[in-house]
Coordinates of all heavy atoms in Angstrom, one line a residue:
R121 N -5.8 -7.3 13.1 CA -6.7 -8.4 13.4 C -7.4 -8.1 14.7 O -8.6 -8.3 14.8 CB -5.9 -9.7 13.5 CG -6.7 -10.9 13.9 CD -5.9 -12.0 14.5 NE -5.3 -11.6 15.7 CZ -4.3 -12.2 16.3 NH1 -3.8 -13.3 15.8 NH2 -3.8 -11.8 17.4
D122 N -6.6 -7.7 15.8 CA -7.2 -7.5 17.1 C -8.2 -6.4 17.1 O -9.2 -6.4 17.7 CB -6.1 -7.3 18.1 CG -5.3 -8.5 18.4 OD1 -5.7 -9.7 17.9 OD2 -4.2 -8.4 19.0
F123 N -7.9 -5.3 16.3 CA -8.8 -4.2 16.3 C -10.1 -4.6 15.6 O -11.2 -4.3 16.0 CB -8.2 -3.0 15.5 CG -9.1 -1.9 15.4 CD1 -9.4 -1.0 16.4 CD2 -9.8 -1.7 14.2 CE1 -10.3 0.1 16.3 CE2 -10.8 -0.6 14.0 CZ -11.0 0.2 15.1
L124 N -10.0 -5.3 14.4 CA -11.2 -5.7 13.7 C -12.1 -6.7 14.5 O -13.3 -6.6 14.4 CB -10.9 -6.3 12.3 CG -10.3 -5.3 11.4 CD1 -9.8 -6.0 10.1 CD2 -11.3 -4.2 11.0
N125 N -11.4 -7.5 15.3 CA -12.1 -8.4 16.2 C -12.8 -7.8 17.4 O -13.8 -8.3 17.8 CB -11.2 -9.6 16.7 CG -10.9 -10.6 15.6 OD1 -11.7 -10.7 14.6 ND2 -9.8 -11.2 15.7
S126 N -12.3 -6.6 17.8 CA -12.8 -6.0 19.0 C -12.5 -4.5 19.1 O -11.7 -4.1 19.9 CB -12.3 -6.7 20.3 OG -12.9 -6.2 21.4
P127 N -13.1 -3.7 18.2 CA -12.7 -2.3 18.2 C -13.1 -1.6 19.5 O -12.4 -0.8 20.0 CB -13.5 -1.7 17.1 CG -14.5 -2.7 16.7 CD -14.0 -4.0 17.1
E128 N -14.2 -2.1 20.2 CA -14.6 -1.5 21.4 C -13.5 -1.7 22.5 O -13.4 -0.8 23.4 CB -15.9 -2.1 21.9 CG -16.0 -3.6 22.2 CD -16.1 -4.5 21.0 OE1 -16.3 -4.0 19.9 OE2 -15.9 -5.7 21.1
R129 N -12.7 -2.8 22.5 CA -11.7 -2.9 23.4 C -10.6 -1.8 23.3 O -10.1 -1.3 24.2 CB -11.0 -4.3 23.3 CG -10.0 -4.6 24.4 CD -9.4 -6.0 24.2 NE -8.2 -5.8 23.5 CZ -7.7 -6.6 22.5 NH1 -8.3 -7.7 22.2 NH2 -6.6 -6.4 22.0
F130 N -10.3 -1.5 22.0 CA -9.3 -0.5 21.7 C -9.8 0.9 22.2 O -9.1 1.7 22.7 CB -8.9 -0.5 20.2 CG -8.0 -1.5 19.9 CD1 -8.4 -2.9 19.7 CD2 -6.6 -1.2 19.7 CE1 -7.5 -3.8 19.4 CE2 -5.7 -2.2 19.4 CZ -6.1 -3.5 19.2
F131 N -11.1 1.1 21.8 CA -11.7 2.4 22.2 C -11.8 2.6 23.7 O -11.6 3.7 24.2 CB -13.1 2.6 21.6 CG -13.0 2.7 20.1 CD1 -13.9 2.1 19.2 CD2 -12.0 3.5 19.5 CE1 -13.8 2.2 17.9 CE2 -11.9 3.7 18.1 CZ -12.8 3.0 17.3
K132 N -12.1 1.5 24.4 CA -12.2 1.6 25.9 C -10.8 2.0 26.4 O -10.7 2.8 27.3 CB -12.6 0.2 26.5 CG -12.7 0.2 28.0 CD -13.1 -1.2 28.5 CE -13.2 -1.1 30.0 NZ -13.6 -2.4 30.5
H133 N -9.8 1.4 25.9 CA -8.4 1.7 26.3 C -8.0 3.1 25.9 O -7.4 3.9 26.7 CB -7.4 0.7 25.8 CG -6.0 1.0 26.1 ND1 -5.5 0.8 27.4 CD2 -5.0 1.5 25.3 CE1 -4.2 1.2 27.4 NE2 -3.9 1.6 26.2
L134 N -8.3 3.5 24.7 CA -7.8 4.8 24.2 C -8.7 6.0 24.6 O -8.2 7.1 24.8 CB -7.8 4.8 22.6 CG -6.8 3.8 22.0 CD1 -7.0 3.7 20.5 CD2 -5.4 4.3 22.3
L135 N -10.0 5.8 24.6 CA -10.9 6.9 24.8 C -11.8 6.8 26.0 O -12.6 7.7 26.3 CB -11.9 6.9 23.6 CG -11.2 6.9 22.2 CD1 -12.2 6.9 21.1 CD2 -10.3 8.1 22.0
G136 N -11.6 5.8 26.8 CA -12.5 5.6 28.0 C -13.5 4.5 27.7 O -13.3 3.8 26.7
T137 N -14.5 4.3 28.5 CA -15.4 3.2 28.3 C -16.5 3.5 27.2 O -17.2 4.5 27.3 CB -16.1 2.9 29.6 OG1 -15.1 2.7 30.6 CG2 -17.0 1.7 29.5
F138 N -16.6 2.7 26.2 CA -17.6 2.8 25.2 C -18.3 1.4 25.0 O -17.6 0.4 25.2 CB -17.0 3.1 23.8 CG -16.6 4.6 23.8 CD1 -15.5 5.1 24.4 CD2 -17.4 5.5 23.0 CE1 -15.1 6.4 24.3 CE2 -17.0 6.8 23.0 CZ -15.9 7.3 23.6
D139 N -19.5 1.4 24.7 CA -20.2 0.1 24.4 C -20.1 -0.2 23.0 O -19.4 0.5 22.2 CB -21.7 0.2 24.9 CG -22.5 1.2 24.1 OD1 -22.1 1.6 23.0 OD2 -23.6 1.6 24.5
D140 N -20.7 -1.3 22.5 CA -20.6 -1.8 21.2 C -21.1 -0.8 20.1 O -20.6 -0.9 19.0 CB -21.4 -3.1 21.0 CG -20.8 -4.2 21.7 OD1 -19.6 -4.1 22.1 OD2 -21.4 -5.3 22.0
E141 N -22.0 0.1 20.4 CA -22.5 1.1 19.5 C -21.6 2.3 19.4 O -21.9 3.3 18.7 CB -23.9 1.5 19.7 CG -24.9 0.4 19.2 CD -25.0 -0.8 20.1 OE1 -25.1 -0.6 21.3 OE2 -24.9 -1.9 19.6
G142 N -20.6 2.4 20.3 CA -19.7 3.6 20.3 C -20.1 4.7 21.2 O -19.5 5.7 21.2
S143 N -21.2 4.5 21.9 CA -21.6 5.5 22.9 C -21.1 5.3 24.2 O -20.6 4.1 24.5 CB -23.2 5.6 22.9 OG -23.7 4.4 23.3
D144 N -21.1 6.3 25.1 CA -20.6 6.1 26.5 C -21.3 5.0 27.2 O -22.6 4.9 27.1 CB -20.7 7.4 27.3 CG -19.7 8.4 26.9 OD1 -18.6 8.0 26.5 OD2 -20.0 9.6 26.9

Side-chain angles (χ1 to χ4, degrees):
R121 179 202 63 196
D122 292 348
F123 177 79
L124 293 174
N125 285 335
S126 183
E128 62 282 349
R129 188 180 94 216
F130 282 78
F131 292 137
K132 181 178 180 181
H133 176 73
L134 294 171
L135 309 174
T137 304
F138 283 78
D139 66 18
D140 289 343
E141 279 78 46
S143 60
D144 287 327

